[in-house]
Amino acid sequence: MSGARKTLGILLGACSLLAVSPALAKDVVVHAGTLIDGVSATPKRQVSIIIRDDRITGVQSGFVTPAGAEVIDLSTKTVLPGFIDTHDHISMDADWSVLGRFTRNEADGVITAMRNAERDIDQGFTAVRDCGSGRIEGPALQRAIAAKQVIGPRIWTAMQPLSATGGHSDPQNGMQPGVHFDGRDLSIVDGAEDARVKVRQHRRDGANLIKIMPSGGVGSIGDDPNHMTMTDEEMRAVTETAHALGIKVAAHVHGNKAINHAVQAGVDSIEHGTYADATSYKLMKERGTFLVPTLLVADWIYQTAVKTPQNLPPTVAEKAIAVTPTMIGNAGRAYKAGVKIALGTDFTGLGDRNKAEEFALLVKAGLTPMDAILAGTRNAAELIGAPQDIGSVQAGRYADIVAVDGDPLADITRLQHVAFVMKGGDVLKKDGKVKLPD
């Protein structure tokens, strides 16, 4: 064998050994002073969370230190599962003006999404459902986060929400007829067959969630939140197609008729659900449909409409004042009726409010502090369809963990001051500071 060939053989052999050699496991133990685990109805005191690589392998009583494990001392803090926001808009900017529709493009959306993803981590949210962005932002961010090029939560993205012509996600609402929006057709479904095609296109292009708009909305121009804007056939076509592809369906709905028809069409969650009634709650309980009340955005837009209505597009302030005070009462009534509640803020990018305020608003609506926490952990994971991976601190789940000072069951606002964030075994925030990628 020539020298060159011999050298090549040695290199190939070394590469072969590297390929079959297992990577060294990373062992970590978190000492938690108090643990709200997303499983038990009561907290646990002084426990050890055992982690190997990105998953939890066990939770033990007392502070133990396995041989060779790195110790993370949270013995003076309350530890919880990473928070989950089931109604996020990852590429949403604070600019709600009509002008923003003409000055921002998808590249701007990607930059905004990166900023919002880092803020999600800073505030303790390690998983989100992106209930509406554009055709590239959500999938691009998913890939970058998975590659650890940027910091951000686990993302389930719907890409463009779907509605009929003139519905809540039609960008031409309020525009003169000659205005054309590139890509508008990807948000519009007119007819059941069109609905099936759009769901399949979304799945092909990277969506792992579908969002529909069966009623008018508050933040759009001219449409009425009380109107049902999609037909039963269109909604059923969406849900049947999405479920056949293993994808869940979230429905933005305010009006009572649209709520009841969307539930009967098989959607997995009602977002907002403002004008739900006893019949709606009965239907939702029978079918296991979640309510995502989105109280933070309701509070924000109401305050904006009252104080600075000029900052909102035409007709939005009037609708906000009429609709949003009802939303917190609806959340409380649904909870008392036994409807499953999942936390969702609908808030990313809209200002300097902390998304964890949603926990306190749920308590204000009538949930107990523990049930509010479960809405943003265990229940949210169930709605997403990933309770085997996220939403609780127990063996087999991803090591998605946050920590706060004090007792959030006594003062729910403690959740607005997250000091520590771990996602998949990686510490992304420590001592109140977010750690940027290496």
Side-chain angles (χ1 to χ4, degrees):
M1 178 183 291
S2 70
R5 290 179 64 190
K6 184 176 181 180
T7 301
L8 178 60
I10 293 171
L11 288 173
L12 290 173
C15 289
S16 176
L17 287 172
L18 287 172
V20 299
S21 298
L24 293 176
K26 178 184 176 184
D27 293 320
V28 175
V29 58
V30 174
H31 291 168
T34 300
L35 174 64
I36 298 174
D37 62 8
V39 181
S40 308
T42 56
K44 299 175 180 178
R45 311 294 180 189
Q46 294 190 340
V47 299
S48 296
I49 305 165
I50 313 300
I51 299 164
R52 169 157 285 198
D53 296 329
D54 60 347
R55 299 246 180 198
I56 297 167
T57 60
V59 179
Q60 299 182 22
S61 297
F63 294 149
V64 301
T65 305
E70 175 191 353
V71 176
I72 296 177
D73 183 7
L74 300 177
S75 59
T76 63
K77 300 190 184 296
T78 298
V79 176
L80 308 95
F83 305 151
I84 305 171
D85 184 354
T86 66
H87 192 125
D88 186 276
H89 292 283
I90 200 68
S91 62
M92 182 179 287
D93 190 81
D95 182 6
W96 268 43
S97 69
V98 174
L99 180 62
R101 298 192 192 187
F102 299 96
T103 58
R104 285 173 48 83
N105 59 30
E106 290 174 329
D108 296 307
V110 170
I111 299 300
T112 298
M114 291 171 60
R115 181 202 65 192
N116 288 340
E118 183 178 326
R119 191 166 88 164
D120 280 332
I121 291 296
D122 185 40
Q123 296 180 358
F125 288 86
T126 56
V128 302
R129 284 196 316 173
D130 170 29
C131 284
S133 52
R135 58 186 168 183
I136 66 169
E137 295 96 318
L141 193 58
Q142 282 178 327
R143 292 189 294 270
I145 291 170
K148 298 185 179 181
Q149 295 170 327
V150 298
I151 281 180
R154 306 180 192 280
I155 298 174
W156 283 257
T157 181
M159 298 167 59
Q160 306 94 330
L162 302 176
S163 77
T165 295
H168 183 49
S169 63
D170 187 341
Q172 288 190 223
N173 286 350
M175 301 291 116
Q176 61 177 324
V179 173
H180 172 74
F181 287 90
D182 183 40
R184 170 186 175 271
D185 61 314
L186 296 174
S187 296
I188 303 300
V189 294
D190 285 319
E193 189 56 35
D194 192 24
R196 292 186 187 96
V197 171
K198 293 294 167 52
V199 171
R200 291 166 181 159
Q201 288 176 336
H202 275 49
R203 178 67 184 86
R204 177 197 66 194
D205 295 340
N208 46 5
L209 169 70
I210 297 294
K211 167 82 171 295
I212 61 173
M213 309 290 209
S215 87
V218 174
S220 46
I221 301 173
D223 58 330
D224 189 330
N226 289 287
H227 290 168
M228 181 166 140
T229 57
M230 294 181 73
T231 66
D232 291 336
E233 292 77 16
E234 288 165 342
M235 288 188 278
R236 281 198 300 270
V238 168
T239 57
E240 289 170 2
T241 307
H243 290 166
L245 295 171
I247 307 174
K248 296 207 174 191
V249 179
H252 153 105
V253 209
H254 288 284
N256 179 265
K257 179 181 177 182
I259 292 169
N260 296 346
H261 283 241
V263 173
Q264 290 171 322
V267 302
D268 298 286
S269 63
I270 295 294
E271 314 293 308
H272 319 305
T274 305
Y275 295 115
D277 61 11
T279 299
S280 312
Y281 306 145
K282 182 174 183 292
L283 287 170
M284 293 175 76
K285 283 184 64 179
E286 289 173 351
R287 294 169 179 264
T289 312
F290 278 85
L291 174 67
V292 181
T294 64
L295 302 180
L296 180 56
V297 77
D299 184 72
W300 176 84
I301 197 170
Y302 181 79
Q303 296 296 334
T304 303
V306 170
K307 298 174 183 176
T308 55
Q310 68 276 9
N311 293 341
L312 297 173
T315 77
V316 172
E318 179 182 345
K319 288 192 289 182
I321 291 170
V323 169
T324 53
T326 307
M327 293 174 71
I328 193 165
N330 172 58
R333 290 188 295 271
Y335 170 70
K336 290 175 183 175
V339 174
K340 294 190 287 188
I341 307 293
L343 181 146
T345 68
D346 196 11
F347 192 73
T348 303
L350 291 179
D352 59 0
R353 301 281 293 270
N354 188 306
K355 291 174 67 176
E357 289 181 54
E358 187 76 25
F359 290 105
L361 289 167
L362 288 172
V363 171
K364 183 179 178 181
L367 277 68
T368 67
M370 180 60 85
D371 281 344
I373 290 170
L374 292 176
T377 53
R378 181 196 67 190
N379 294 7
E382 181 187 344
L383 171 56
I384 284 174
Q388 74 283 359
D389 288 325
I390 60 175
S392 60
V393 178
Q394 57 179 320
R397 277 57 177 178
Y398 284 122
D400 294 355
I401 293 168
V402 301
V404 299
D405 291 316
D407 180 5
L409 298 179
D411 179 5
I412 196 70
T413 65
R414 292 283 185 178
L415 300 181
Q416 297 168 35
H417 307 283
V418 171
F420 174 91
V421 178
M422 171 184 283
K423 194 192 99 181
D426 293 328
V427 176
L428 301 184
K429 184 176 182 180
K430 186 178 181 181
D431 299 326
K433 295 181 180 180
V434 173
K435 178 180 180 287
L436 295 176
D438 294 331

